[in-house]
């Protein structure tokens, strides 16, 4: 079976940046499973998977606009230290969910200077070209319930 709209796909991957550094990998774990066409993985990788079948291996290079987007400078902001009530030590690398006019946004602390904390709402991989080494483990038809819910159920997916 070939990967198409509403296929459930399980695949192993290694993700590297342009410097060849491994950013993420499924090595030693179960394959990543997703519902094709439901926006469960980044668009550039999903396009590369289209039409492939179990056993296929591929290398995909995904530009930022097809991955996690370009860096948006307006998502980097300085906020007062007292915005982090209840957190004793705010340190770079910590992540928080901020409430914005557009809804909740995950932000990462990038700098703490006195009473000022710099946070970044960009995805950590924004602005980067992503290089995937992929091996497709399984392709099957999605159940009606999976299609209605927009994600995979059962092994490798959500349990309800």
């Amino acid at each position: 079976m070939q990967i198409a709209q509403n296929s459930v796909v399980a695949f192993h991957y290694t993700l590297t940046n342009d410097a060849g550094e491994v950013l993420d990998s499924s090595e030693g774990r179960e394959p990543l499973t997703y519902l094709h066409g439901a926006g469960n993985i980044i668009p550039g990788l999903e396009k590369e998977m289209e039409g492939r079948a179990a056993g296929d291996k591929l290398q995909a290079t995904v530009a930022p606009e097809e991955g996690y987007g370009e860096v948006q400078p307006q998502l980097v902001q300085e906020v007062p230290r007292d915005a982090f009530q209840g957190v004793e030590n705010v340190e770079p690398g910590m992540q928080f969910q901020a409430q914005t006019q557009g809804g909740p946004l995950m932000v990462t602390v990038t700098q703490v200077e006195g009473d000022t904390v710099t946070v970044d709402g960009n995805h950590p991989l924004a602005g980067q070209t992503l290089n995937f080494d992929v091996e497709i483990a399984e392709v099957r038809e999605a159940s009606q319930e999976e299609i209605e819910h927009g994600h995979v159920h059962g092994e490798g997916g959500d349990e309800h």
Side-chain angles (χ1 to χ4, degrees), residues 31-47:
L32 177 65
T33 304
Y34 77 99
L35 177 61
H36 193 80
N40 297 158
I41 63 173
I42 58 173
L45 182 57
E46 192 167 61
K47 285 179 187 175

Side-chain angles (χ1 to χ4, degrees), residues 48-140:
E48 292 287 334
M49 303 281 270
E50 185 87 24
R52 308 289 183 143
D56 285 357
K57 294 181 180 182
L58 65 131
Q59 292 183 326
T61 299
V62 179
E65 57 272 11
E66 292 275 304
Y68 293 99
E70 295 292 348
V71 173
Q72 299 178 47
Q74 70 273 21
L75 293 180
V76 178
Q77 296 185 351
E78 291 183 348
V79 295
R81 167 67 180 87
D82 61 14
F84 298 87
Q85 292 179 8
V87 181
E88 196 170 313
N89 291 324
V90 177
E91 298 176 8
M94 294 176 93
Q95 292 188 313
F96 297 92
Q97 186 170 342
Q99 297 303 320
T100 69
Q101 291 176 335
L105 176 69
M106 284 301 294
V107 297
T108 302
V109 174
T110 57
Q111 187 175 355
V112 179
E113 212 169 283
D115 289 334
T116 303
V117 178
T118 304
V119 296
D120 187 346
N122 287 288
H123 187 281
L125 299 177
Q128 293 191 43
T129 297
L130 306 173
N131 302 292
F132 289 90
D133 192 3
V134 173
E135 181 174 358
I136 299 167
E138 180 185 356
V139 180
R140 67 170 173 80

